[in-house]
Amino acid sequence: MPGIRRPSAAFVIGLLGLLAACAPALKPARLVPAPVAPIDSLELTIFLIGDAGSNAYDGEPVLEEFARQSDSLRKVKQFVVFLGDNVYPRGVPPVGSPTRDDAEKKVAAQVYAIRKGQAQGILVPGNHDWDRQGPGGWNSIRRQDTLVRAFGGKDVRLLPHGGCPGPEVVDLGKYMRLIVLDSEWWVHNDVKPYGPDAPCPTHTYQEVADSLAGALRDKGTRHAIVLTHHPLRSGGEHGGYFKLTDYFFPLRKVQSWMWVPLPIVGAIYPLARRMGVTNQDFSGKKYKAMRRMFEAAFVQHPPLAIASGHDHNLQVIRGGNPKVTRAGYQLVSGAGILGHAGPVRKVEGTLFDREAAGFMRLDVTRDGRVRLSVSTVVPVAKRVKGESNEVYSLWLEEQGS
């Protein structure tokens, strides 16, 4: 009819994004806390903290709350895992760089947080540690490896070492096996140690997948936790989920105070992310290939859980890809900086999700049971420090039990 204009493509894309963002979320399951295991019944406690490379250094409220809990468990053997992105924004630069001192302080804060509690632990590489997935990535992660060795001695290590993909196996006590992978090695777009000349025990994607399957097969009666930076399941941004404000105020991704309405650009940005513009998202070609090979390795001998960071929130998801793998739980613990949390939605199997700073903890009892707890850290009004609460807990069950 005359006088009626067809809506533009940008308007339609923006409207679709708005409808997706406003779609009703699944009703949360009732959260019934799991009974706390007495301290004298514990063999081991494992802390899981991701994306903690804050410039608050040892004053970061999340690290302070972790230290408080760790101090209360001095009679228990403790192990701490930082799940990648240990140094924002581009990892450890060369000596003499204007940002070198800042990077050293970020590494030191995490290493000393582990050692102050008389624990042992590891730092897992993330994409920001690899020069924000840039061309200097391999050199950057090797520099971080050197720093962790210098600060951590024999108690704290970067695993896998030197930009190698892993898997590295760490057996703890009678009941726990940690299998550590450098997932950025899989999705990295630039130089990395790959092929027959690489100075690593595994040289190709298939070799890594075969070794992962072997580490799971040979775990015996131990529970296996696979540690990566990139999750295999997530309801966060890297899984394709965005806030309504992202569609209308995209510059807030650059600076949180930039409330400039740009609905057309805002609609294009999430769409491009969902179409695979970056290999840091589930939609990326290399990310998809990595997930397929990991899931295939889990079919015969599934891990109890996969623990990762990358998305800046806290998620507990039951099951893997139900069509492919029998993996137990996906634990996303990428909220190690107060004020740095990202959006999250429920996906199939979500048991818990929260857009908040915090970390996770696994308590392993002397009879082999594993209790997961999630602690959030919230700011106290007009103060830098935060307060913490345990907001979720459950006893983890092996697949089929």
Side-chain angles (χ1 to χ4, degrees), residues 46-366:
I46 302 172
F47 289 94
L48 302 170
I49 311 174
D51 301 65
S54 169
N55 60 6
Y57 309 126
D58 57 352
E60 169 56 54
V62 179
L63 289 186
E64 289 186 341
E65 173 54 23
F66 149 68
R68 187 193 68 78
Q69 288 195 22
S70 176
D71 190 60
S72 71
L73 294 165
R74 283 183 174 267
K75 294 181 180 180
V76 180
K77 179 179 175 64
Q78 298 178 50
F79 198 86
V80 184
V81 180
F82 284 96
L83 290 162
D85 286 358
N86 312 310
V87 182
Y88 283 106
R90 306 195 72 103
V92 178
V95 173
S97 167
T99 58
R100 172 72 182 210
D101 182 63
D102 175 72
E104 290 189 8
K105 289 178 179 177
K106 289 171 179 173
V107 174
Q110 292 161 84
V111 171
Y112 293 155
I114 297 172
R115 299 187 71 181
K116 277 189 289 188
Q118 298 182 355
Q120 293 182 316
I122 61 174
L123 280 69
V124 178
N127 56 299
H128 282 269
D129 302 311
W130 278 71
D131 187 34
R132 198 179 182 183
Q133 66 268 3
W138 190 14
N139 287 330
S140 180
I141 198 60
R142 285 185 286 186
R143 288 190 289 265
Q144 186 174 143
D145 195 352
T146 300
L147 280 183
V148 173
R149 289 172 188 263
F151 294 146
K154 61 181 178 59
D155 292 323
V156 186
R157 296 170 288 168
L158 181 82
L159 290 182
H161 288 297
C164 292
E168 298 270 5
V169 172
V170 180
D171 287 334
L172 299 172
K174 292 171 58 179
Y175 298 110
M176 189 61 65
R177 166 167 285 194
L178 305 181
I179 303 174
V180 195
L181 295 158
D182 187 341
S183 52
E184 176 58 28
W185 178 89
W186 284 77
V187 300
H188 196 64
N189 292 322
D190 221 288
V191 178
K192 61 185 179 184
Y194 183 90
D197 296 329
C200 300
T202 51
H203 308 89
T204 67
Y205 303 119
Q206 190 61 56
E207 286 183 9
V208 177
D210 291 344
S211 294
L212 171 59
L216 288 165
R217 181 193 63 232
D218 299 338
K219 67 183 178 62
T221 58
R222 296 177 187 270
H223 302 295
I225 308 290
V226 175
L227 304 173
T228 70
H229 177 65
H230 298 75
L232 301 193
R233 299 193 70 203
S234 175
E237 289 187 11
H238 292 292
Y241 299 88
F242 297 87
K243 286 183 176 180
L244 177 60
T245 53
D246 295 333
Y247 291 88
F248 292 95
F249 304 99
L251 294 182
R252 295 193 73 241
K253 289 291 184 185
V254 181
Q255 293 290 343
S256 60
W257 52 266
M258 296 182 71
W259 290 92
V260 180
L262 296 170
I264 295 177
V265 175
I268 292 173
Y269 173 73
L271 181 62
R273 293 278 298 271
R274 290 188 180 121
M275 292 180 67
V277 70
T278 171
N279 280 311
Q280 294 302 318
D281 292 338
F282 283 24
S283 57
K285 183 178 179 180
K286 290 184 177 181
Y287 206 130
K288 287 180 178 178
M290 176 182 69
R291 291 175 69 198
R292 283 195 301 268
M293 295 193 78
F294 285 179
E295 288 169 343
F298 298 157
V299 171
Q300 295 299 320
H301 303 279
L304 176 64
I306 308 153
S308 313
H310 203 39
D311 269 324
H312 301 159
N313 46 53
L314 300 164
Q315 301 176 66
V316 181
I317 304 169
R318 183 68 195 262
N321 181 341
K323 296 180 181 178
V324 179
T325 183
R326 296 166 50 234
Y329 300 85
Q330 173 71 66
L331 309 177
V332 179
S333 183
I337 300 174
L338 188 65
H340 199 214
V344 61
R345 285 178 174 268
K346 287 175 171 52
V347 296
E348 183 179 359
T350 295
L351 301 178
F352 172 85
D353 62 284
R354 186 70 57 88
E355 181 182 338
F359 55 89
M360 298 184 183
R361 170 177 149 186
L362 301 173
D363 289 335
V364 184
T365 66
R366 297 186 187 280

